[in-house]
């Protein structure tokens, strides 16, 4: 007997995963990584106050979470200086991306993104039958003009832009993004992924009215707030757009401990400043390690650094694989010419030193193997 | 300017929520509940070992969870005596229900359930454009024969059955469910929701081969394991069906603390036995409270009791509302004739005593108001 057939859209999808997680890689290699520098996690960790709040919430985990994440929503409303009706809290940006694509994209609808940008967004677009159109990066940044032009060509319903950008760590001035909104076709929505915004300079943050109907912005507690495993983030937009999530979201889907932790993390401004400083220092250290090894770091306003190997994607792939064998988990961009780079997450000094020790050794081995 | 329009299916959906959460109700009434007995949560709480594991996992929350929930999956494989390929872990049954509906249901596809059964399942079916067909309960149980017959009539792709049942607490013998599989139309999938199975007698659990392609079973850590707020559960079925989830699930969507807690909870058999005993005692206490107030408890093999008020849905609704005013949160079935009942979750004795005190007072007031 066969299983009942899948619906047409999932029937046409491959079984895939946007990223292979470090735990999976560790099991494949049979031992843990010495340095976990691949997933843009924040090894400086969450605020001690968030840790305390999460531990305090554990005994109450027998209760479902508040379906509206009310207390966190109110705190975000104050923090962002916009009404709560402009904000929806969800299971991280990954979860919110899936909901937004489902809300906006019917099978065959056009979506524009950059070739090499966030794979999980592409996964969701394919998952709902959307048609992806990709424009190349330009000078290692997402190309705002090309994105808008392609959106017109294909009559896009959704345009993805991350600022600061992953995987390159680059950014645009906020004014450029504000101007982009006027360049989009009527009926298109800009999805502005601001996962790394807390690491960015003020001028990288566009000034967009809370009720602007042309854009939705997404932010997360996974990066600067150090809570990637908690699965909690939020989206900001026009109240009618935000209300759309109530039609399809899993109302009791946010973990109760995550709600408590995110609230405490948001309120601990000192810890955020501490993390920002540590991340800036780690970026400098990674840049130095790059230079010491004959490579160069790209400027970054995120908690990772794209390091230009000066060679091609084949070389970078081999380097990532060899470092993995040596216990150093990093990742790299997926397409040329970005894939001449490796991507290293900011982390405490001890972990970066493991990279600093492994890298020259691995590079020397690769040179010897080549010779 | 208007917001870009939604895709056709969400455009046709209402903004709705399957349940109004107790926190929302508390905010509406301006003060907390004295007794939280409405959401079938498990107030006896998670295993102390699970609490310890979750607290221990908090500091590591800066890391994404393992995308395969590997350790929990392996433990479940042993616990359930089936290969890991037959199991998928997800963000609670609510999350898995949404994924299953998305995997199986194209717009217009027929789905069969019972009128009064789990609203969140209906929410997901509507959310993906499925067409719900409902058959009535029979003698306060889901009507297996009617479900199968309707499935033939409408050529159903998916048939929902919960065993034990929510909201009535009733159950069928496992053999009846085994027989039902032979009665379903070719190409239909039985979705067997076993959220309360750990409270049920052995004979209520059907013996179904792990690879049977006609059924998917869902279980959760929300009920007997006391971790509703953690959002973690699992589905069991044919490996090809289970592999289908890899096409659409949010691979890094399960909270890392929940993974650690669920593993510890699963391994603590003593605590589960303790909870089962406490829940059985609480069921007896709720039955006694019912009788003392001129009402009768329906037999239950869950962690809640449906109490027959002996009156109609209007009366039961008024009773639920009045108890809510008095600080006692309970719920009730949504349709006649089930809605002659109120539904009370099992809880520690102190909370049930609050109900025991409030109930006669509220009933007397209602009688006086009627007179």
């Amino acid at each position: 007997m066969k299983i009942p057939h899948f619906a047409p859209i999932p029937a046409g999808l491959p079984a895939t995963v946007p990223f292979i997680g470090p735990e999976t890689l560790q099991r494949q290699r049979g031992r843990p990584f010495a340095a976990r520098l691949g997933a843009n996690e924040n090894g400086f960790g969450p605020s001690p106050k968030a840790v305390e709040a999460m531990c305090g919430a554990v005994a109450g985990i027998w209760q479902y979470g508040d379906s509206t994440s009310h207390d966190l929503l109110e705190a975000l409303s104050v923090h962002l200086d916009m009404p709560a009706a402009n904000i929806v809290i969800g299971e991280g940006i990954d979860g919110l991306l899936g909901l937004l694509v489902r809300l906006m994209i019917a099978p065959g609808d056009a979506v524009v993104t950059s070739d090499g940008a966030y794979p999980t967004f592409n996964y969701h677009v394919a998952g709902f039958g959307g048609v992806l159109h990709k424009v190349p990066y330009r000078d290692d940044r997402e190309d705002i003009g090309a994105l808008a032009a392609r959106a017109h060509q294909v009559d896009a319903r959704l345009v993805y832009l991350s600022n600061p950008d992953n995987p390159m760590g680059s950014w645009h001035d906020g004014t450029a993004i504000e101007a982009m909104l006027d360049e989009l076709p009527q009926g298109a929505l800009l999805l502005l992924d601001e996962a790394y915004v807390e690491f960015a300079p003020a001028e990288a943050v566009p000034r967009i009215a809370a009720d602007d109907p042309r854009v939705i912005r997404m932010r997360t507690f996974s990066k600067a707030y150090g809570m990637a495993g908690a699965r909690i983030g939020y989206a900001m937009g026009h109240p009618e757009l935000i209300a759309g999530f109530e039609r399809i979201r899993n109302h009791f889907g946010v973990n109760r401990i995550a709600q408590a932790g995110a609230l405490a993390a948001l309120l601990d401004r000192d810890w955020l400043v501490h993390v920002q400083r540590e991340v800036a220092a780690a970026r400098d250290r990674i840049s130095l390690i790059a230079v010491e090894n004959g490579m160069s770091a790209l400027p970054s306003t995120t908690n990772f650094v794209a390091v230009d190997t000066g060679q091609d994607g084949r070389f970078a792939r081999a380097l990532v694989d060899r470092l993995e064998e040596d216990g150093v988990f990093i990742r790299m961009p997926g397409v040329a010419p970005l894939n001449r780079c490796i991507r290293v997450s900011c982390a405490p000094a001890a972990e970066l030193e493991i990279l600093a020790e492994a890298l020259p050794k691995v590079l020397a081995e690769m040179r010897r193997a080549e010779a």
Side-chain angles (χ1 to χ4, degrees), chain A:
Chain A
M1 265 190 304
K2 295 183 52 145
I3 61 166
H5 63 82
F6 295 151
I9 294 175
L13 295 172
T16 184
V17 52
F19 294 103
I20 299 173
E23 281 81 5
T24 304
L25 295 173
Q26 286 177 153
R27 282 189 295 273
Q28 288 170 358
R29 61 194 294 275
R31 53 198 197 285
F33 288 122
R36 184 167 164 135
L37 306 171
N40 298 346
E41 295 161 332
N42 173 358
F44 302 105
S47 152
K49 291 176 183 166
V51 169
E52 195 185 331
M54 286 188 270
C55 263
V58 163
I61 200 66
W62 60 273
Q63 301 167 87
Y64 287 100
D66 177 2
S67 62
T68 63
S69 301
H70 174 271
D71 297 348
L72 177 59
L73 193 63
E74 291 298 313
L76 280 170
S77 172
V78 172
H79 174 72
L80 301 165
D81 192 22
M82 64 175 69
N86 292 81
I87 309 164
V88 60
I89 292 164
E91 297 96 320
I93 289 182
D94 283 358
L96 290 164
L97 285 175
L99 289 173
L100 180 72
V101 170
R102 182 175 161 203
L103 195 58
M104 302 300 296
I105 299 301
D109 279 352
V111 177
V112 173
T113 187
S114 302
D115 197 14
Y118 195 45
T120 304
F121 174 68
N122 301 355
Y123 171 78
H124 288 307
V125 171
F128 289 99
V131 178
L132 268 173
H133 301 268
K134 298 177 181 175
V135 302
Y137 275 62
R138 181 174 173 167
D139 301 332
D140 296 323
R141 299 200 299 175
E142 294 183 60
D143 186 340
I144 285 182
L147 287 166
R150 184 65 66 88
H152 276 278
Q153 277 171 23
V154 301
D155 195 19
R157 302 262 304 124
L158 206 50
V159 180
Y160 178 90
L161 177 72
S162 65
N163 194 60
D165 167 75
N166 177 21
M168 303 308 281
S170 57
W171 71 101
H172 288 281
D173 275 353
T175 51
I177 294 168
E178 294 159 27
M180 180 190 188
L181 291 176
D182 295 325
E183 300 303 321
L184 290 176
Q186 195 73 21
L189 183 72
L190 177 67
L191 162 50
L192 181 58
D193 181 344
E194 297 187 319
Y196 300 95
V197 74
E198 294 87 0
F199 300 115
E203 60 266 28
V205 186
R207 294 173 187 218
I208 299 173
D211 285 359
D212 194 314
R214 301 168 299 175
V215 59
I216 188 165
R217 304 165 83 158
M218 295 193 182
R219 296 184 183 177
T220 183
F221 289 92
S222 296
K223 304 300 180 185
Y225 295 103
M227 292 174 52
R231 311 291 50 222
I232 187 161
Y234 57 98
M236 298 171 275
H238 190 284
E240 284 175 37
L241 179 61
I242 295 301
F245 286 82
E246 298 305 313
R247 305 176 184 209
I248 57 169
R249 76 184 182 94
N250 191 359
H251 292 83
F252 292 87
V254 179
N255 179 292
R256 192 176 178 93
I257 297 168
Q259 290 174 328
L263 178 58
L266 185 71
L267 299 178
D268 190 351
R269 305 294 300 169
D270 292 344
W271 185 259
L272 181 63
V273 170
H274 158 75
V275 167
Q276 289 164 331
R277 276 202 207 108
E278 293 286 343
V279 163
R283 281 195 302 247
D284 291 345
R285 180 69 188 114
I286 294 167
S287 300
L288 196 60
I289 293 169
V291 170
E292 287 169 351
N293 287 277
M295 305 191 286
S296 64
L298 272 59
S300 166
T301 52
T302 62
N303 72 330
F304 59 88
V305 178
V307 172
D308 189 338
T309 64
Q311 307 213 34
D312 63 4
R314 203 188 47 79
F315 176 86
R317 178 79 264 160
L319 179 55
V320 167
D321 290 345
R322 276 293 292 111
L323 282 169
E324 189 180 305
E325 282 173 39
D326 265 36
V328 177
F329 168 55
I330 63 169
R331 284 193 179 128
M332 61 177 287
V335 300
L338 315 184
N339 65 1
R340 71 188 191 283
C341 297
I342 58 173
R343 198 193 66 181
V344 180
S345 303
C346 294
E351 276 196 84
L352 294 184
E353 290 322 302
I354 294 169
L355 172 71
E357 281 179 35
L359 192 55
K361 186 167 113 353
V362 163
L363 285 169
E365 279 175 24
M366 287 172 72
R367 254 178 257 119
R368 272 199 302 276
E370 199 113 323

